């Protein structure tokens, strides 16, 4: 898989929402996982993960101080990571 567009650092205020976006191409289609401080993120009331036409997004709702950290998007398929 190849990252065509990557996301940059964002700054949000408490109680706001945040969004990370990237575009990833690969064949076969890649599996995309999101991580926060090395821990896998799963969809929940806090996080929403979307994939539309090779655009992958992570939405973070109701930002709190403990949401500050490193967010990573990883893509992999049979051809590699």
């Amino acid at each position: 898989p190849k990252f065509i567009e990557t996301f940059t650092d964002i700054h949000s205020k408490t109680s706001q929402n945040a969004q990370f976006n990237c575009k990833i191409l690969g064949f076969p289609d890649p599996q995309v996982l999101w991580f926060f401080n090395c821990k896998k993120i799963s969809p929940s009331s806090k996080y929403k993960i979307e994939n539309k036409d090779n655009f992958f997004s992570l939405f973070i709702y109701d930002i709190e101080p403990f949401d500050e950290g490193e967010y990573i998007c990883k893509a992999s398929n049979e051809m590699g990571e």
Side-chain angles (χ1 to χ4, degrees):
K2 182 175 181 179
F3 282 81
I4 304 302
E5 295 178 20
T6 59
F7 57 88
T8 59
D9 290 346
I10 59 172
H11 302 277
S12 295
K13 295 180 181 179
T14 300
S15 300
Q16 289 185 332
N17 299 330
Q19 180 178 346
F20 292 103
N21 300 299
C22 57
K23 183 175 183 180
I24 305 168
L25 298 178
F27 184 81
D29 288 340
Q31 177 185 16
V32 174
L33 300 174
W34 292 88
F35 296 85
F36 172 58
N37 291 339
C38 300
K39 295 179 184 175
K40 183 182 168 196
I41 295 173
S42 297
S44 65
S45 60
K46 180 75 175 172
Y47 300 108
K48 179 181 177 185
I49 297 170
E50 283 189 354
N51 169 17
K52 292 183 182 176
D53 300 323
N54 299 314
F55 285 93
F56 296 84
S57 300
L58 172 66
F59 299 87
I60 308 165
Y61 299 109
D62 194 24
I63 296 288
E64 296 295 332
F66 62 81
D67 292 315
E68 184 176 347
E70 182 178 42
Y71 289 85
I72 296 174
C73 180
K74 288 188 178 184
S76 63
N77 62 16
E78 297 167 7
M79 304 301 288
E81 186 173 316

